[in-house]
Amino acid sequence: MNNIKEDDEPFVRREDLHRKKKKKRTIGDILFYAVPILALTVVISCGTMFIRDFLEYKAGEDAYNTIEEKYIMVYTDDGSSDNASGGKTDGGSGAGEAAGETWEYPALDIDFAGLTALNPDFAGVIVIPSLNITYPMVYSEDNVDYLHVTFDKQSNSAGSIFYDALSPHDFLSKNTFIFGHNMKNGTMFGKLKWFLSKPELCAANPYIYIYTEDKVRRYEIFSYYKTQEGSKTYEDFEGEDGYDDYVAMCMKLSQFSAYADDIDFTKRPDLLTLSTCSGPAGGSTRFPVHAALTGVQRYQA
């Protein structure tokens, strides 16, 4: 009996070992290890993307802050000055007269020669006081050049505020298009969407100012809404009937309920259309802002 017991115990142990080696892993066993690993991979990947985006956004913002601090000076009501990125574009004003009406504009001292030297494609400076937007603009040859290139020619997802390649230069079109990215950090045209959530901003100050070396143009916003890429918003029109139909469409689609209805469209003033993306990156939704020219005067720093 002892011999049997001694032989039996090693046999039983070998059988247990054999069973352990042959034990099949279940789906649950695989998921037990795979899920945490996958989750950790996602966290690391998302974290890396967040850091990358943050650094790129900051680089773009810093680049424009530097440009504005060096080339664009804004004067406040007390006569002091501040750089454009400081948010005082609704401070001091220059004044002039157009069509018998006196109107004021934010008083900016712009180094046009310096901006042109920095980028020969310089087209002018756009100011939207209600959103604290002040940026130099560029002319684009194909609406692609400046999608991911800043004003100082650096590669960055922020890109530039650029003039439509199909619009005649110097704001000679009946409808001039200006494009800019809808940046998550609110830079470029990322603040335009504030008009939807805070309509009082546009109601209180519906003006857009365009500064070129010899002129200041004032446009009044009358419509904004969401639309799709390739919609009639981006089509050219011809003649008075085409103009009237286009304005009527903009009014019909408009989400600007506080529009003062004070623009005389029977005189068919030139239009300015700002456009940016809306919604997830890569989508086809667009957010245009339409404004009409209500004054042009000689620029005085």
Side-chain angles (χ1 to χ4, degrees):
M1 293 294 293
N2 288 339
N3 290 337
I4 296 176
K5 185 175 182 180
E6 290 176 357
D7 291 341
D8 192 46
E9 286 181 351
F11 179 79
V12 171
R13 290 171 184 173
R14 289 197 300 271
E15 177 68 10
D16 288 345
L17 181 60
H18 181 72
R19 288 175 180 174
K20 288 180 181 179
K21 288 183 178 180
K22 293 295 184 178
K23 183 179 179 181
K24 293 183 179 180
R25 292 191 179 275
T26 65
I27 294 179
D29 293 332
I30 296 173
L31 292 178
F32 178 81
Y33 294 101
V35 170
I37 294 174
L38 179 60
L40 181 61
T41 302
V42 170
V43 169
I44 293 174
S45 176
C46 290
T48 301
M49 292 175 61
F50 174 80
I51 294 173
R52 182 197 63 193
D53 290 346
F54 172 79
L55 293 176
E56 187 169 22
Y57 289 170
K58 188 177 188 305
E61 186 173 7
D62 288 347
Y64 279 104
N65 285 342
T66 299
I67 291 170
E68 291 162 6
E69 288 170 2
K70 187 174 182 179
Y71 299 103
I72 305 172
M73 193 69 68
V74 180
Y75 290 92
T76 61
D77 287 328
D78 60 6
S80 62
S81 62
D82 195 14
N83 62 70
S85 60
K88 297 184 178 178
T89 54
D90 57 349
S93 297
E97 190 170 323
E101 176 191 0
T102 299
W103 53 277
E104 298 182 339
Y105 56 86
L108 274 64
D109 187 356
I110 303 171
D111 182 357
F112 287 97
L115 288 167
T116 302
L118 182 62
N119 189 333
D121 292 334
F122 173 54
V125 173
I126 183 171
V127 177
I128 309 177
S130 60
L131 298 178
N132 187 27
I133 286 178
T134 302
Y135 284 113
M137 301 178 295
V138 292
Y139 288 120
S140 174
E141 293 186 0
D142 57 12
N143 289 351
V144 175
D145 293 347
Y146 286 98
L147 274 176
H148 303 295
V149 175
T150 58
F151 184 85
D152 58 350
K153 299 295 186 75
Q154 300 300 310
S155 178
N156 191 285
S157 61
S160 299
I161 302 298
F162 61 94
Y163 194 105
D164 176 36
L166 298 179
S167 296
H169 286 194
D170 300 322
F171 302 88
L172 297 178
S173 174
K174 289 304 293 182
N175 186 18
T176 298
F177 287 88
I178 304 293
F179 300 101
H181 281 305
N182 173 19
M183 299 301 289
K184 293 179 181 178
N185 62 352
T187 57
M188 309 315 289
F189 277 170
K191 293 179 182 176
L192 287 184
K193 57 181 176 288
W194 287 9
F195 285 152
L196 290 173
S197 59
K198 302 176 182 179
E200 66 275 8
L201 293 176
C202 194
N205 192 345
Y207 297 108
I208 299 170
Y209 300 89
I210 301 290
Y211 295 71
T212 54
E213 191 163 7
D214 59 342
K215 295 178 181 177
V216 180
R217 293 171 173 82
R218 183 187 68 177
Y219 296 84
E220 182 177 345
I221 298 171
F222 64 89
S223 172
Y224 53 74
Y225 51 87
K226 290 183 180 181
T227 188
Q228 295 298 308
E229 178 183 8
S231 70
K232 291 186 177 180
T233 295
Y234 301 98
E235 293 181 3
D236 293 328
F237 54 78
E238 295 182 1
E240 294 182 351
D241 290 343
Y243 179 99
D244 295 341
D245 290 344
Y246 188 86
V247 170
M249 177 196 70
C250 296
M251 288 296 195
K252 182 178 180 180
L253 296 173
S254 180
Q255 294 179 263
F256 182 25
S257 59
Y259 165 56
D261 194 22
D262 58 348
I263 300 173
D264 186 0
F265 285 108
T266 63
K267 296 181 179 179
R268 297 179 179 83
D270 291 349
L271 305 179
L272 178 72
T273 298
L274 310 184
S275 180
T276 189
C277 298
S278 180
S284 61
T285 304
R286 300 291 181 265
F287 182 66
V289 175
H290 299 287
L293 184 67
T294 57
V296 180
Q297 56 189 314
R298 185 167 61 90
Y299 167 69
Q300 292 178 313

